[in-house]
C-alpha cells in the first residue's frame, strides 16, 4: 500500500519555543528536504483550535510516481513550560537541588548512570556548574567582606553586605549566562519531570487526556491510511501516555480504522519510569509492548546525549511481558550517515542541535529521514522493516524503484499474514 493520506500527531518535548518557532523550523526543513530529493512539497498555514491547545496544517508532497497528503497536528504545551521558566530564579534553584538530592538518596541517579552515563552526566552537569558559579560568587563576596573589614565596618553589617553581594552576583551569573549554559532550563526540566512522575501536574494529565480523545476521534473518522504519533525527547513518554490512554478509551482503537504507529525519537523514558511511584506509567509501557494492533518504533542515537542509548524501554524498566511481547522495534540512527562530512565535526558538539536532528531534514539521503517519514508514500512499519528498499524508492532509477516497491509489498504481506502476533519474534531487536 502506498500511503496517500497520512495523519501525524506531533508531541513536543519540554521546549518553551512552541508553535511559532516550530512552524518556521518545519517550513525551512521541508524546503531542504524537497531540494535533497528533488520533489515538490508545499504546506498550508497553521490553524489553531479555539482553546489554543493544538495547531494543524497540511503538506502536499509529489514525486514522479507518488503523491502524499499529510495532515499534521502540533500538540501544544508551551504555555505550561513558559510558566515554569518564568518562576523566580531562587525558587527554581532550591527546588531543583532538593529534587536532585532526593534522586541521589533514592538511588534513581545511580540507575540513570547504569542505564546511560551520557544522559546522567547531562542532567548532573547543571548542578556542578551551579556549584562552580556559587563558589565564584562566594569568593567575590568574601573579598568584598574583607574590603569592608579593612574600612572598619562592624562584623554583622559586613556579613549582611557580603550575603547581598553573593546573592546578586550568583543571580546575575545565572540570568545572563543562561543563553550559553541552559542551566535554569535543565533545572526546570528536572522539576517538571519529577512532578509529572509524582502526579503533581494535573493540568498536564488533563491535557493529555483530551489529546487521547482527539486520537480516538481521528481513528474513528477513518480518513487517513496511517496515523503516526510522533513523540520527540520528553514527548516520547507523553506520546506513550496519550496512546495508552486512548487505548483505555477505545480498546479496539487500532483494529477498526487506519493503522496506528507510535514513533518515539530521542526518547528519555527512564526520567519518568525509574521513579518508584511511576507504576501506572510502567503499566502503560507493558500495554503497548503486547498490543497486537499497534506498531511502536523507537529511534535512538549514540551521539545524542539527551536520549537514552542503548536502552530497551520495556526490559530496561524490568517489565517482562513474556512471549506476548511485540513492541517496540528499536532503531539505531547514525547521524554521521545523514550529515555531510564537512559539517559533522562541528555538528557533533552542539548537543541541542544534535538532539533536534531527529526532527530536521537530512543533509544526505538515508532510510531514517524524518520528513520522508512524514511526507513519503511508504508506511512507517515497512520503512523500518526494509530500510534499503525505502531508500531506493527515494533515490533509485525506475527499475530500482519497481524492485523496491515489490520488497515493501512483500514486507507488508509478511506483517499482515502473521498467524499469531502473540508469538512473533520480539520487535525489540535492534536495526540500523
Amino acid at each position: 500500500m502506498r500511503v496517500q493520506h497520512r495523519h501525524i500527531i506531533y508531541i513536543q518535548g519540554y521546549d518553551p519555543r512552541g508553535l511559532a518557532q516550530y512552524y518556521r523550523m518545519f517550513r525551512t526543513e521541508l524546503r531542504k528536504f524537497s531540494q535533497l530529493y528533488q520533489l515538490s512539497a508545499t504546506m498550508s498555514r497553521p490553524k489553531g483550535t479555539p482553546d489554543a491547545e493544538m495547531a494543524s496544517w497540511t503538506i502536499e508532497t509529489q514525486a514522479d510516481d507518488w503523491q502524499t497528503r499529510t495532515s499534521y497536528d502540533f500538540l501544544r504545551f508551551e504555555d505550561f513550560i513558559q510558566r515554569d521558566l518564568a518562576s523566580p530564579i531562587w525558587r527554581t534553584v532550591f527546588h531543583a537541588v532538593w529534587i536532585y538530592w532526593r534522586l541521589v538518596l533514592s538511588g534513581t541517579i545511580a540507575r540513570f548512570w547504569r542505564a546511560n552515563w551520557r544522559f546522567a552526566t547531562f542532567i548532573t552537569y547543571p548542578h556542578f556548574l551551579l556549584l562552580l558559579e556559587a563558589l565564584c560568587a562566594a569568593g567575590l563576596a568574601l573579598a568584598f567582606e574583607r574590603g569592608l573589614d579593612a574600612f572598619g565596618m562592624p562584623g554583622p553589617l559586613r556579613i549582611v553586605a557580603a550575603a547581598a553581594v553573593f546573592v546578586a552576583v550568583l543571580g546575575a551569573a545565572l540570568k545572563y549566562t543562561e543563553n550559553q549554559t541552559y542551566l535554569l532550563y535543565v533545572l526546570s526540566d528536572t522539576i517538571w519531570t519529577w512532578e509529572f512522575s509524582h502526579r503533581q501536574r494535573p493540568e498536564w494529565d488533563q491535557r493529555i487526556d483530551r489529546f487521547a480523545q482527539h486520537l480516538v476521534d481521528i481513528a474513528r473518522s477513518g480518513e487517513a491510511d496511517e496515523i503516526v504519533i510522533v513523540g520527540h525527547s520528553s514527548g516520547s513518554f507523553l506520546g506513550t501516555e496519550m496512546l495508552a490512554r486512548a487505548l483505555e478509551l477505545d480498546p479496539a482503537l487500532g483494529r477498526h480504522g487506519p493503522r496506528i504507529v507510535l514513533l518515539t525519537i530521542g526518547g528519555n523514558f527512564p526520567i519518568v519510569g525509574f521513579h518508584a511511584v511511576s507504576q501506572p506509567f510502567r503499566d502503560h509501557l507493558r500495554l503497548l509492548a503486547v498490543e497486537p494492533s499497534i506498531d511502536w518504533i523507537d529511534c535512538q542515537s549514540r551521539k545524542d546525549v539527551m536520549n537514552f542509548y542503548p536502552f530497551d524501554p520495556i526490559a530496561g524498566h524490568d517489565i517482562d511481558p513474556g512471549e506476548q511481547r511485540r513492541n517496540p522495534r528499536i532503531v539505531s540512527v547514525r547521524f554521521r550517515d545523514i550529515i555531510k562530512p564537512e559539517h559533522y565535526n562541528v555538528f557533533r558538539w552542539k548537543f541541542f542541535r544534535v538532539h533536534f536532528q531527529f526532527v530536521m531534514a537530512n543533509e544526505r539521503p538515508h532510510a531514517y529521514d524524518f520528513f520522508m517519514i512524514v511526507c513519503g508514500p511508504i508506511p512507517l512499519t515497512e520503512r523500518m522493516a526494509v530500510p534499503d528498499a525505502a531508500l531506493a524508492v527515494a533515490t533509485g532509477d525506475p527499475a530500482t524503484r519497481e524492485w523496491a516497491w515489490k520488497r515493501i509489498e512483500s514486507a507488508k504481506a509478511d506483517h499482515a499474514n502473521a498467524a499469531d502476533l502473540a508469538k512473533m519474534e520480539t520487535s525489540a531487536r535492534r536495526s540500523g
Side-chain angles (χ1 to χ4, degrees):
M1 178 187 72
R2 301 190 186 193
V3 177
Q4 295 181 321
H5 182 197
R6 177 181 291 108
H7 201 122
I8 299 288
I9 301 177
Y10 179 84
I11 306 166
Q12 64 174 335
Y14 195 78
D15 187 346
R17 297 173 298 176
L19 172 63
Q21 188 156 343
Y22 180 82
Y23 179 81
R24 286 194 296 270
M25 181 188 79
F26 189 97
R27 183 176 56 195
T28 299
E29 298 302 310
L30 181 68
R31 189 179 304 117
K32 295 176 183 177
F33 159 74
S34 61
Q35 291 171 352
L36 178 64
Y37 294 101
Q38 295 298 299
L39 48 76
S40 170
T42 59
M43 61 187 293
S44 68
R45 295 188 61 81
K47 295 182 179 179
T49 54
D51 56 15
E53 292 185 353
M54 183 174 64
S56 303
W57 56 88
T58 58
I59 308 110
E60 299 282 351
T61 311
Q62 186 171 359
D64 291 339
D65 56 354
W66 57 265
Q67 182 173 346
T68 301
R69 179 175 183 268
T70 304
S71 301
Y72 201 98
D73 293 340
F74 179 83
L75 307 188
R76 303 180 67 177
F77 292 103
E78 69 262 32
D79 53 333
F80 297 154
I81 301 168
Q82 290 168 2
R83 187 179 64 195
D84 290 349
L85 296 177
S87 179
I89 291 176
W90 65 266
R91 182 183 299 171
T92 299
V93 168
F94 280 109
H95 197 178
V97 170
W98 176 78
I99 287 174
Y100 184 81
W101 284 105
R102 288 194 66 177
L103 294 173
V104 170
L105 294 175
S106 68
T108 305
I109 288 293
R111 289 192 69 187
F112 287 166
W113 278 99
R114 290 193 295 270
N116 185 275
W117 68 268
R118 291 182 178 87
F119 186 87
T121 301
F122 173 76
I123 64 169
T124 299
Y125 114 88
H127 296 274
F128 281 108
L129 185 58
L130 176 63
L131 177 61
L132 179 62
E133 292 187 1
L135 290 174
C136 291
L140 291 173
L142 179 61
F144 183 71
E145 187 273 338
R146 294 291 173 84
L148 294 179
D149 184 34
F151 283 102
M153 180 177 286
L157 291 179
R158 295 200 312 271
I159 293 174
V160 171
V165 168
F166 172 78
V167 171
V169 171
L170 181 57
L174 291 171
K175 180 177 180 179
Y176 294 109
T177 63
E178 175 65 10
N179 288 339
Q180 290 73 43
T181 66
Y182 296 99
L183 188 151
L184 295 173
Y185 166 78
V186 178
L187 294 182
S188 294
D189 194 350
T190 300
I191 295 169
W192 167 66
T193 51
W194 168 274
E195 292 183 341
F196 181 80
S197 304
H198 289 72
R199 296 300 177 94
Q200 296 173 9
R201 291 292 183 97
E203 71 278 15
W204 282 80
D205 280 308
Q206 292 162 8
R207 190 167 292 185
I208 292 170
D209 287 338
R210 291 192 289 273
F211 290 152
Q213 183 62 58
H214 173 67
L215 171 58
V216 170
D217 294 342
I218 291 172
R220 287 176 177 170
S221 74
E223 295 178 358
D225 302 319
E226 175 182 67
I227 298 173
V228 180
I229 302 145
V230 179
H232 174 239
S233 190
S234 298
S236 59
F237 57 77
L238 296 175
T240 299
E241 278 293 286
M242 186 189 76
L243 177 54
R245 295 181 195 188
L247 281 167
E248 291 172 349
L249 292 172
D250 181 4
L253 181 69
R255 296 179 172 88
H256 55 56
R259 178 189 291 183
I260 296 176
V261 185
L262 173 64
L263 173 64
T264 51
I265 45 182
N268 43 29
F269 297 97
I271 61 175
V272 171
F274 277 6
H275 296 289
V277 300
S278 295
Q279 189 58 48
F281 175 70
R282 293 190 291 273
D283 289 342
H284 285 164
L285 290 177
R286 180 188 294 273
L287 170 65
L288 296 181
V290 301
E291 174 53 50
S293 66
I294 301 293
D295 290 332
W296 174 9
I297 311 293
D298 182 57
C299 295
Q300 310 171 4
S301 177
R302 182 180 66 86
K303 190 55 62 179
D304 179 13
V305 301
M306 297 170 67
N307 81 165
F308 276 76
Y309 173 95
F311 185 76
D312 182 335
I314 306 304
H317 286 91
D318 298 324
I319 299 170
D320 182 12
E323 293 184 355
Q324 291 182 317
R325 177 176 176 177
R326 63 182 305 276
N327 282 318
R329 173 187 290 271
I330 299 175
V331 177
S332 176
V333 179
R334 279 173 49 92
F335 290 145
R336 184 184 294 274
D337 295 337
I338 64 180
I339 299 296
K340 291 180 178 178
E342 60 267 30
H343 297 158
Y344 185 76
N345 286 335
V346 174
F347 162 86
R348 65 187 298 188
W349 299 111
K350 297 179 178 180
F351 298 136
F352 281 89
R353 174 64 180 82
V354 169
H355 189 53
F356 273 88
Q357 182 58 48
F358 281 110
V359 295
M360 298 177 75
N362 288 11
E363 293 184 351
R364 305 166 70 186
H366 191 267
Y368 180 86
D369 187 308
F370 178 72
F371 281 83
M372 196 60 85
I373 289 170
V374 169
C375 302
I378 303 172
L380 179 55
T381 301
E382 284 71 42
R383 169 174 291 279
M384 296 305 180
V386 283
D388 56 336
L391 182 59
V393 166
T395 61
D397 58 30
T400 302
R401 291 201 300 271
E402 182 179 357
W403 162 84
W405 276 115
K406 289 179 180 178
R407 283 273 326 264
I408 292 165
E409 288 297 326
S410 176
K412 180 179 182 296
D414 290 344
H415 179 81
N417 294 332
D420 187 354
L421 289 175
K423 295 181 180 180
M424 286 180 65
E425 177 187 359
T426 175
S427 292
R429 57 190 179 276
R430 297 193 178 278
S431 59

